mmCIF file of all heavy atoms in Angstrom:
data_model
loop_
_atom_site.group_PDB
_atom_site.id
_atom_site.type_symbol
_atom_site.label_atom_id
_atom_site.label_comp_id
_atom_site.label_asym_id
_atom_site.label_seq_id
_atom_site.Cartn_x
_atom_site.Cartn_y
_atom_site.Cartn_z
ATOM 1 N N ASN C 1 224.825 -22.146 183.440
ATOM 2 C CA ASN C 1 225.747 -22.332 184.546
ATOM 3 C C ASN C 1 225.478 -21.144 185.504
ATOM 4 O O ASN C 1 225.541 -19.967 185.100
ATOM 5 C CB ASN C 1 227.175 -22.438 184.153
ATOM 6 C CG ASN C 1 228.063 -22.949 185.226
ATOM 7 O OD1 ASN C 1 228.248 -22.305 186.272
ATOM 8 N ND2 ASN C 1 228.620 -24.127 184.984
ATOM 9 N N SER C 2 225.288 -21.481 186.777
ATOM 10 C CA SER C 2 224.814 -20.403 187.691
ATOM 11 C C SER C 2 225.976 -19.610 188.308
ATOM 12 O O SER C 2 225.837 -18.721 189.074
ATOM 13 C CB SER C 2 224.027 -21.040 188.845
ATOM 14 O OG SER C 2 224.622 -22.219 189.274
ATOM 15 N N GLY C 3 227.278 -20.011 187.933
ATOM 16 C CA GLY C 3 228.395 -19.227 188.410
ATOM 17 C C GLY C 3 228.761 -19.550 189.883
ATOM 18 O O GLY C 3 228.724 -20.710 190.294
ATOM 19 N N ASP C 4 228.951 -18.540 190.624
ATOM 20 C CA ASP C 4 229.360 -18.732 192.080
ATOM 21 C C ASP C 4 229.139 -17.427 192.877
ATOM 22 O O ASP C 4 228.824 -16.433 192.349
ATOM 23 C CB ASP C 4 230.841 -19.139 192.110
ATOM 24 C CG ASP C 4 231.726 -18.044 191.597
ATOM 25 O OD1 ASP C 4 231.898 -17.758 190.407
ATOM 26 O OD2 ASP C 4 232.367 -17.327 192.516
ATOM 27 N N TRP C 5 229.405 -17.600 194.191
ATOM 28 C CA TRP C 5 229.321 -16.470 195.151
ATOM 29 C C TRP C 5 230.663 -16.286 195.829
ATOM 30 O O TRP C 5 230.717 -15.868 196.956
ATOM 31 C CB TRP C 5 228.159 -16.626 196.066
ATOM 32 C CG TRP C 5 226.846 -16.370 195.363
ATOM 33 C CD1 TRP C 5 226.118 -17.216 194.647
ATOM 34 C CD2 TRP C 5 226.147 -15.148 195.315
ATOM 35 N NE1 TRP C 5 225.041 -16.615 194.083
ATOM 36 C CE2 TRP C 5 225.003 -15.348 194.471
ATOM 37 C CE3 TRP C 5 226.356 -13.792 195.824
ATOM 38 C CZ2 TRP C 5 224.123 -14.277 194.197
ATOM 39 C CZ3 TRP C 5 225.476 -12.809 195.459
ATOM 40 C CH2 TRP C 5 224.348 -13.081 194.731
ATOM 41 N N VAL C 6 231.651 -16.601 195.106
ATOM 42 C CA VAL C 6 233.057 -16.325 195.581
ATOM 43 C C VAL C 6 233.607 -15.184 194.689
ATOM 44 O O VAL C 6 234.228 -14.211 195.259
ATOM 45 C CB VAL C 6 233.985 -17.563 195.444
ATOM 46 C CG1 VAL C 6 235.343 -17.248 195.843
ATOM 47 C CG2 VAL C 6 233.396 -18.673 196.236
ATOM 48 N N GLU C 7 233.434 -15.232 193.378
ATOM 49 C CA GLU C 7 233.949 -14.169 192.593
ATOM 50 C C GLU C 7 232.766 -13.523 191.699
ATOM 51 O O GLU C 7 232.605 -12.312 191.709
ATOM 52 C CB GLU C 7 234.940 -14.687 191.610
ATOM 53 C CG GLU C 7 236.281 -15.089 192.290
ATOM 54 C CD GLU C 7 237.196 -15.574 191.272
ATOM 55 O OE1 GLU C 7 237.212 -16.701 190.935
ATOM 56 O OE2 GLU C 7 238.121 -14.714 190.888
ATOM 57 N N SER C 8 232.021 -14.381 191.014
ATOM 58 C CA SER C 8 231.060 -13.824 189.991
ATOM 59 C C SER C 8 229.830 -13.205 190.647
ATOM 60 O O SER C 8 229.274 -12.224 190.091
ATOM 61 C CB SER C 8 230.607 -14.940 189.076
ATOM 62 O OG SER C 8 231.678 -15.603 188.429
ATOM 63 N N LEU C 9 229.389 -13.770 191.754
ATOM 64 C CA LEU C 9 228.211 -13.255 192.457
ATOM 65 C C LEU C 9 227.003 -13.265 191.578
ATOM 66 O O LEU C 9 226.378 -12.305 191.199
ATOM 67 C CB LEU C 9 228.407 -11.821 193.049
ATOM 68 C CG LEU C 9 229.159 -11.739 194.369
ATOM 69 C CD1 LEU C 9 230.604 -12.245 194.246
ATOM 70 C CD2 LEU C 9 229.222 -10.281 194.882
ATOM 71 N N THR C 10 226.715 -14.448 191.071
ATOM 72 C CA THR C 10 225.626 -14.630 190.037
ATOM 73 C C THR C 10 224.595 -15.692 190.481
ATOM 74 O O THR C 10 224.931 -16.630 191.263
ATOM 75 C CB THR C 10 226.250 -15.011 188.675
ATOM 76 O OG1 THR C 10 227.067 -16.191 188.864
ATOM 77 C CG2 THR C 10 227.058 -13.869 188.028
ATOM 78 N N ALA C 11 223.489 -15.589 189.895
ATOM 79 C CA ALA C 11 222.387 -16.564 189.971
ATOM 80 C C ALA C 11 221.597 -16.692 188.708
ATOM 81 O O ALA C 11 221.690 -15.781 187.838
ATOM 82 C CB ALA C 11 221.432 -16.223 191.168
ATOM 83 N N LEU C 12 220.938 -17.770 188.522
ATOM 84 C CA LEU C 12 220.043 -17.888 187.352
ATOM 85 C C LEU C 12 218.571 -17.707 187.819
ATOM 86 O O LEU C 12 218.157 -18.150 188.899
ATOM 87 C CB LEU C 12 220.164 -19.331 186.767
ATOM 88 C CG LEU C 12 221.462 -19.614 186.056
ATOM 89 C CD1 LEU C 12 221.698 -21.080 185.824
ATOM 90 C CD2 LEU C 12 221.520 -18.813 184.730
ATOM 91 N N GLU C 13 217.819 -16.933 187.082
ATOM 92 C CA GLU C 13 216.442 -16.688 187.414
ATOM 93 C C GLU C 13 215.524 -17.062 186.185
ATOM 94 O O GLU C 13 215.842 -16.692 185.082
ATOM 95 C CB GLU C 13 216.171 -15.208 187.742
ATOM 96 C CG GLU C 13 217.064 -14.737 188.904
ATOM 97 C CD GLU C 13 216.928 -13.215 189.120
ATOM 98 O OE1 GLU C 13 216.393 -12.504 188.244
ATOM 99 O OE2 GLU C 13 217.333 -12.742 190.254
ATOM 100 N N TYR C 14 214.441 -17.717 186.530
ATOM 101 C CA TYR C 14 213.472 -18.059 185.558
ATOM 102 C C TYR C 14 212.127 -17.436 185.831
ATOM 103 O O TYR C 14 211.560 -17.609 186.974
ATOM 104 C CB TYR C 14 213.207 -19.615 185.433
ATOM 105 C CG TYR C 14 212.368 -20.119 184.359
ATOM 106 C CD1 TYR C 14 212.857 -20.191 183.086
ATOM 107 C CD2 TYR C 14 211.000 -20.354 184.585
ATOM 108 C CE1 TYR C 14 212.013 -20.619 182.013
ATOM 109 C CE2 TYR C 14 210.156 -20.778 183.524
ATOM 110 C CZ TYR C 14 210.687 -20.919 182.258
ATOM 111 O OH TYR C 14 209.819 -21.305 181.211
ATOM 112 N N THR C 15 211.610 -16.641 184.928
ATOM 113 C CA THR C 15 210.379 -15.965 185.115
ATOM 114 C C THR C 15 209.833 -15.659 183.733
ATOM 115 O O THR C 15 210.578 -15.308 182.748
ATOM 116 C CB THR C 15 210.547 -14.646 185.882
ATOM 117 O OG1 THR C 15 209.218 -14.062 186.212
ATOM 118 C CG2 THR C 15 211.409 -13.653 185.302
ATOM 119 N N GLU C 16 208.533 -15.666 183.572
ATOM 120 C CA GLU C 16 207.798 -15.307 182.348
ATOM 121 C C GLU C 16 208.356 -16.096 181.190
ATOM 122 O O GLU C 16 208.583 -15.596 180.129
ATOM 123 C CB GLU C 16 207.811 -13.834 182.068
ATOM 124 C CG GLU C 16 207.170 -12.980 183.094
ATOM 125 C CD GLU C 16 207.203 -11.524 182.814
ATOM 126 O OE1 GLU C 16 207.873 -11.093 181.898
ATOM 127 O OE2 GLU C 16 206.572 -10.753 183.560
ATOM 128 N N GLY C 17 208.655 -17.380 181.409
ATOM 129 C CA GLY C 17 209.092 -18.316 180.388
ATOM 130 C C GLY C 17 210.506 -18.106 179.894
ATOM 131 O O GLY C 17 210.840 -18.613 178.803
ATOM 132 N N GLN C 18 211.296 -17.436 180.660
ATOM 133 C CA GLN C 18 212.663 -17.128 180.163
ATOM 134 C C GLN C 18 213.677 -17.184 181.286
ATOM 135 O O GLN C 18 213.452 -16.806 182.400
ATOM 136 C CB GLN C 18 212.731 -15.713 179.494
ATOM 137 C CG GLN C 18 214.035 -15.356 178.874
ATOM 138 C CD GLN C 18 213.932 -14.006 178.161
ATOM 139 O OE1 GLN C 18 212.895 -13.477 177.910
ATOM 140 N NE2 GLN C 18 215.107 -13.514 177.744
ATOM 141 N N TRP C 19 214.881 -17.730 180.935
ATOM 142 C CA TRP C 19 216.055 -17.726 181.943
ATOM 143 C C TRP C 19 216.863 -16.487 181.676
ATOM 144 O O TRP C 19 217.142 -16.039 180.683
ATOM 145 C CB TRP C 19 216.894 -19.005 181.663
ATOM 146 C CG TRP C 19 216.396 -20.238 182.136
ATOM 147 C CD1 TRP C 19 215.782 -21.200 181.536
ATOM 148 C CD2 TRP C 19 216.388 -20.669 183.565
ATOM 149 N NE1 TRP C 19 215.368 -22.308 182.326
ATOM 150 C CE2 TRP C 19 215.828 -21.908 183.590
ATOM 151 C CE3 TRP C 19 216.917 -20.102 184.762
ATOM 152 C CZ2 TRP C 19 215.647 -22.641 184.785
ATOM 153 C CZ3 TRP C 19 216.739 -20.765 185.946
ATOM 154 C CH2 TRP C 19 216.151 -22.038 185.912
ATOM 155 N N ASN C 20 217.283 -15.892 182.909
ATOM 156 C CA ASN C 20 218.156 -14.727 182.917
ATOM 157 C C ASN C 20 219.248 -14.955 183.881
ATOM 158 O O ASN C 20 219.094 -15.564 184.876
ATOM 159 C CB ASN C 20 217.263 -13.496 183.252
ATOM 160 C CG ASN C 20 216.243 -13.148 182.245
ATOM 161 O OD1 ASN C 20 216.544 -12.771 181.153
ATOM 162 N ND2 ASN C 20 214.999 -13.310 182.610
ATOM 163 N N LEU C 21 220.327 -14.303 183.593
ATOM 164 C CA LEU C 21 221.484 -14.388 184.475
ATOM 165 C C LEU C 21 221.551 -13.107 185.319
ATOM 166 O O LEU C 21 221.633 -12.012 184.794
ATOM 167 C CB LEU C 21 222.813 -14.526 183.644
ATOM 168 C CG LEU C 21 224.098 -14.792 184.465
ATOM 169 C CD1 LEU C 21 223.995 -16.100 185.068
ATOM 170 C CD2 LEU C 21 225.278 -14.849 183.431
ATOM 171 N N TYR C 22 221.476 -13.323 186.623
ATOM 172 C CA TYR C 22 221.539 -12.178 187.600
ATOM 173 C C TYR C 22 222.942 -11.946 188.049
ATOM 174 O O TYR C 22 223.609 -12.926 188.434
ATOM 175 C CB TYR C 22 220.610 -12.426 188.785
ATOM 176 C CG TYR C 22 220.766 -11.459 189.918
ATOM 177 C CD1 TYR C 22 220.062 -10.251 189.964
ATOM 178 C CD2 TYR C 22 221.656 -11.680 191.005
ATOM 179 C CE1 TYR C 22 220.211 -9.312 190.942
ATOM 180 C CE2 TYR C 22 221.840 -10.787 192.023
ATOM 181 C CZ TYR C 22 221.071 -9.636 192.016
ATOM 182 O OH TYR C 22 221.300 -8.747 193.002
ATOM 183 N N ARG C 23 223.383 -10.739 188.065
ATOM 184 C CA ARG C 23 224.768 -10.376 188.614
ATOM 185 C C ARG C 23 224.578 -9.362 189.688
ATOM 186 O O ARG C 23 224.004 -8.322 189.479
ATOM 187 C CB ARG C 23 225.606 -9.833 187.486
ATOM 188 C CG ARG C 23 226.002 -10.808 186.330
ATOM 189 C CD ARG C 23 226.930 -10.197 185.346
ATOM 190 N NE ARG C 23 227.246 -11.171 184.238
ATOM 191 C CZ ARG C 23 228.203 -12.066 184.353
ATOM 192 N NH1 ARG C 23 229.006 -12.092 185.407
ATOM 193 N NH2 ARG C 23 228.430 -12.819 183.323
ATOM 194 N N HIS C 24 225.129 -9.714 190.785
ATOM 195 C CA HIS C 24 224.921 -8.875 191.938
ATOM 196 C C HIS C 24 226.115 -7.812 192.033
ATOM 197 O O HIS C 24 227.301 -8.299 192.113
ATOM 198 C CB HIS C 24 224.944 -9.660 193.293
ATOM 199 C CG HIS C 24 224.625 -8.893 194.495
ATOM 200 N ND1 HIS C 24 223.308 -8.596 194.890
ATOM 201 C CD2 HIS C 24 225.474 -8.269 195.416
ATOM 202 C CE1 HIS C 24 223.349 -7.939 195.993
ATOM 203 N NE2 HIS C 24 224.575 -7.697 196.319
ATOM 204 N N ALA C 25 225.867 -6.598 191.949
ATOM 205 C CA ALA C 25 226.836 -5.576 191.988
ATOM 206 C C ALA C 25 227.302 -5.405 193.508
ATOM 207 O O ALA C 25 226.461 -5.162 194.355
ATOM 208 C CB ALA C 25 226.288 -4.280 191.450
ATOM 209 N N GLU C 26 228.604 -5.418 193.637
ATOM 210 C CA GLU C 26 229.181 -5.136 195.001
ATOM 211 C C GLU C 26 229.025 -3.650 195.234
ATOM 212 O O GLU C 26 229.459 -2.843 194.455
ATOM 213 C CB GLU C 26 230.689 -5.505 194.980
ATOM 214 C CG GLU C 26 230.912 -7.011 195.085
ATOM 215 C CD GLU C 26 232.347 -7.302 195.353
ATOM 216 O OE1 GLU C 26 232.800 -7.011 196.430
ATOM 217 O OE2 GLU C 26 233.004 -7.764 194.411
ATOM 218 N N LYS C 27 228.416 -3.349 196.331
ATOM 219 C CA LYS C 27 228.210 -1.943 196.717
ATOM 220 C C LYS C 27 229.199 -1.530 197.750
ATOM 221 O O LYS C 27 229.494 -2.340 198.697
ATOM 222 C CB LYS C 27 226.760 -1.749 197.243
ATOM 223 C CG LYS C 27 225.666 -2.009 196.236
ATOM 224 C CD LYS C 27 224.266 -1.887 196.884
ATOM 225 C CE LYS C 27 223.198 -2.152 195.767
ATOM 226 N NZ LYS C 27 221.893 -2.100 196.443
ATOM 227 N N LYS C 28 229.783 -0.342 197.521
ATOM 228 C CA LYS C 28 230.748 0.164 198.532
ATOM 229 C C LYS C 28 229.972 0.490 199.751
ATOM 230 O O LYS C 28 228.929 1.125 199.775
ATOM 231 C CB LYS C 28 231.467 1.394 197.978
ATOM 232 C CG LYS C 28 232.405 1.121 196.852
ATOM 233 C CD LYS C 28 233.156 2.326 196.443
ATOM 234 C CE LYS C 28 234.095 2.039 195.270
ATOM 235 N NZ LYS C 28 234.842 3.236 194.872
ATOM 236 N N ALA C 29 230.500 0.082 200.872
ATOM 237 C CA ALA C 29 229.897 0.362 202.193
ATOM 238 C C ALA C 29 230.972 0.817 203.189
ATOM 239 O O ALA C 29 232.120 0.549 203.066
ATOM 240 C CB ALA C 29 229.232 -0.918 202.714
ATOM 241 N N PRO C 30 230.565 1.557 204.192
ATOM 242 C CA PRO C 30 231.575 2.060 205.129
ATOM 243 C C PRO C 30 232.149 0.744 205.878
ATOM 244 O O PRO C 30 231.463 -0.131 206.161
ATOM 245 C CB PRO C 30 230.700 2.937 206.076
ATOM 246 C CG PRO C 30 229.310 2.605 205.924
ATOM 247 C CD PRO C 30 229.237 2.125 204.449
ATOM 248 N N VAL C 31 233.379 0.907 206.180
ATOM 249 C CA VAL C 31 234.053 -0.204 206.918
ATOM 250 C C VAL C 31 233.518 -0.284 208.318
ATOM 251 O O VAL C 31 233.559 0.712 209.086
ATOM 252 C CB VAL C 31 235.575 0.007 206.897
ATOM 253 C CG1 VAL C 31 236.238 -1.119 207.760
ATOM 254 C CG2 VAL C 31 236.155 -0.038 205.525
ATOM 255 N N VAL C 32 233.020 -1.385 208.745
ATOM 256 C CA VAL C 32 232.429 -1.602 210.072
ATOM 257 C C VAL C 32 233.298 -2.566 210.773
ATOM 258 O O VAL C 32 234.176 -3.248 210.137
ATOM 259 C CB VAL C 32 231.007 -2.072 210.014
ATOM 260 C CG1 VAL C 32 230.093 -1.003 209.354
ATOM 261 C CG2 VAL C 32 230.870 -3.355 209.194
ATOM 262 N N GLU C 33 233.014 -2.726 212.052
ATOM 263 C CA GLU C 33 233.833 -3.565 212.895
ATOM 264 C C GLU C 33 233.916 -4.989 212.345
ATOM 265 O O GLU C 33 234.920 -5.647 212.367
ATOM 266 C CB GLU C 33 233.256 -3.669 214.329
ATOM 267 C CG GLU C 33 234.241 -4.086 215.349
ATOM 268 C CD GLU C 33 233.701 -3.852 216.788
ATOM 269 O OE1 GLU C 33 233.311 -2.703 217.080
ATOM 270 O OE2 GLU C 33 233.616 -4.847 217.505
ATOM 271 N N GLU C 34 232.767 -5.544 211.840
ATOM 272 C CA GLU C 34 232.762 -6.889 211.368
ATOM 273 C C GLU C 34 233.651 -7.053 210.208
ATOM 274 O O GLU C 34 234.365 -8.122 210.075
ATOM 275 C CB GLU C 34 231.351 -7.334 210.979
ATOM 276 C CG GLU C 34 231.157 -8.707 210.470
ATOM 277 C CD GLU C 34 229.803 -9.040 210.006
ATOM 278 O OE1 GLU C 34 228.848 -8.330 210.328
ATOM 279 O OE2 GLU C 34 229.633 -10.095 209.319
ATOM 280 N N GLU C 35 233.770 -6.078 209.301
ATOM 281 C CA GLU C 35 234.602 -6.167 208.111
ATOM 282 C C GLU C 35 236.049 -6.166 208.518
ATOM 283 O O GLU C 35 236.985 -6.856 208.010
ATOM 284 C CB GLU C 35 234.280 -5.069 207.179
ATOM 285 C CG GLU C 35 232.946 -5.248 206.448
ATOM 286 C CD GLU C 35 232.621 -4.062 205.487
ATOM 287 O OE1 GLU C 35 233.347 -3.081 205.555
ATOM 288 O OE2 GLU C 35 231.710 -4.160 204.808
ATOM 289 N N ASP C 36 236.424 -5.227 209.578
ATOM 290 C CA ASP C 36 237.813 -5.270 210.052
ATOM 291 C C ASP C 36 238.185 -6.583 210.577
ATOM 292 O O ASP C 36 239.242 -7.039 210.357
ATOM 293 C CB ASP C 36 237.907 -4.242 211.207
ATOM 294 C CG ASP C 36 237.847 -2.789 210.615
ATOM 295 O OD1 ASP C 36 238.157 -2.688 209.449
ATOM 296 O OD2 ASP C 36 237.515 -1.832 211.310
ATOM 297 N N GLU C 37 237.238 -7.248 211.375
ATOM 298 C CA GLU C 37 237.512 -8.550 211.946
ATOM 299 C C GLU C 37 237.765 -9.550 210.826
ATOM 300 O O GLU C 37 238.612 -10.395 210.937
ATOM 301 C CB GLU C 37 236.296 -8.977 212.780
ATOM 302 C CG GLU C 37 236.569 -10.277 213.526
ATOM 303 C CD GLU C 37 235.356 -10.643 214.362
ATOM 304 O OE1 GLU C 37 234.479 -9.829 214.576
ATOM 305 O OE2 GLU C 37 235.332 -11.789 214.839
ATOM 306 N N THR C 38 236.908 -9.499 209.731
ATOM 307 C CA THR C 38 237.093 -10.443 208.649
ATOM 308 C C THR C 38 238.376 -10.276 207.977
ATOM 309 O O THR C 38 239.036 -11.304 207.657
ATOM 310 C CB THR C 38 235.931 -10.151 207.596
ATOM 311 O OG1 THR C 38 234.703 -10.421 208.280
ATOM 312 C CG2 THR C 38 236.039 -11.199 206.456
ATOM 313 N N LEU C 39 238.869 -9.015 207.763
ATOM 314 C CA LEU C 39 240.190 -8.821 207.201
ATOM 315 C C LEU C 39 241.259 -9.321 208.061
ATOM 316 O O LEU C 39 242.194 -9.983 207.522
ATOM 317 C CB LEU C 39 240.380 -7.343 206.961
ATOM 318 C CG LEU C 39 239.658 -6.667 205.782
ATOM 319 C CD1 LEU C 39 239.763 -5.199 205.830
ATOM 320 C CD2 LEU C 39 240.168 -7.246 204.465
ATOM 321 N N GLN C 40 241.143 -9.231 209.378
ATOM 322 C CA GLN C 40 242.134 -9.794 210.298
ATOM 323 C C GLN C 40 242.226 -11.288 210.214
ATOM 324 O O GLN C 40 243.212 -11.958 210.144
ATOM 325 C CB GLN C 40 241.881 -9.346 211.719
ATOM 326 C CG GLN C 40 242.108 -7.888 211.935
ATOM 327 C CD GLN C 40 241.568 -7.435 213.334
ATOM 328 O OE1 GLN C 40 241.206 -8.272 214.151
ATOM 329 N NE2 GLN C 40 241.461 -6.099 213.550
ATOM 330 N N LEU C 41 240.992 -11.927 210.126
ATOM 331 C CA LEU C 41 240.920 -13.376 209.905
ATOM 332 C C LEU C 41 241.495 -13.806 208.622
ATOM 333 O O LEU C 41 242.113 -14.819 208.570
ATOM 334 C CB LEU C 41 239.431 -13.771 209.999
ATOM 335 C CG LEU C 41 238.824 -13.793 211.344
ATOM 336 C CD1 LEU C 41 237.270 -13.945 211.272
ATOM 337 C CD2 LEU C 41 239.345 -14.921 212.229
ATOM 338 N N GLU C 42 241.356 -12.943 207.512
ATOM 339 C CA GLU C 42 241.855 -13.343 206.216
ATOM 340 C C GLU C 42 243.417 -13.300 206.222
ATOM 341 O O GLU C 42 244.023 -14.135 205.705
ATOM 342 C CB GLU C 42 241.317 -12.436 205.086
ATOM 343 C CG GLU C 42 239.824 -12.730 204.915
ATOM 344 C CD GLU C 42 239.188 -11.782 203.852
ATOM 345 O OE1 GLU C 42 239.827 -10.731 203.601
ATOM 346 O OE2 GLU C 42 238.100 -12.046 203.447
ATOM 347 N N TRP C 43 243.929 -12.218 206.943
ATOM 348 C CA TRP C 43 245.407 -12.159 207.072
ATOM 349 C C TRP C 43 245.917 -13.389 207.851
ATOM 350 O O TRP C 43 246.975 -13.968 207.493
ATOM 351 C CB TRP C 43 245.802 -10.857 207.823
ATOM 352 C CG TRP C 43 245.890 -9.698 206.928
ATOM 353 C CD1 TRP C 43 245.112 -8.529 207.082
ATOM 354 C CD2 TRP C 43 246.695 -9.490 205.898
ATOM 355 N NE1 TRP C 43 245.407 -7.661 206.133
ATOM 356 C CE2 TRP C 43 246.451 -8.124 205.309
ATOM 357 C CE3 TRP C 43 247.716 -10.223 205.205
ATOM 358 C CZ2 TRP C 43 247.091 -7.632 204.236
ATOM 359 C CZ3 TRP C 43 248.347 -9.643 204.077
ATOM 360 C CH2 TRP C 43 248.039 -8.365 203.621
ATOM 361 N N SER C 44 245.174 -13.815 208.862
ATOM 362 C CA SER C 44 245.587 -14.959 209.636
ATOM 363 C C SER C 44 245.595 -16.242 208.769
ATOM 364 O O SER C 44 246.382 -17.163 208.857
ATOM 365 C CB SER C 44 244.595 -15.154 210.863
ATOM 366 O OG SER C 44 244.702 -14.106 211.696
ATOM 367 N N ALA C 45 244.506 -16.326 207.911
ATOM 368 C CA ALA C 45 244.368 -17.479 207.037
ATOM 369 C C ALA C 45 245.527 -17.582 206.005
ATOM 370 O O ALA C 45 246.071 -18.635 205.674
ATOM 371 C CB ALA C 45 243.084 -17.391 206.271
ATOM 372 N N VAL C 46 246.043 -16.355 205.462
ATOM 373 C CA VAL C 46 247.173 -16.301 204.622
ATOM 374 C C VAL C 46 248.353 -16.813 205.340
ATOM 375 O O VAL C 46 249.142 -17.644 204.835
ATOM 376 C CB VAL C 46 247.366 -14.825 204.129
ATOM 377 C CG1 VAL C 46 248.662 -14.798 203.375
ATOM 378 C CG2 VAL C 46 246.216 -14.460 203.172
#
């Protein structure tokens, strides 16, 4: 099961004859204007 990109942030990868589960680590980044706008949109959605 490949999971999702809402919470798990996962994918399935096949290479060299084997399946592996990839997990994307959320990296901390400085808050930029786009992120502020997204947060405002999320508050509006709530």
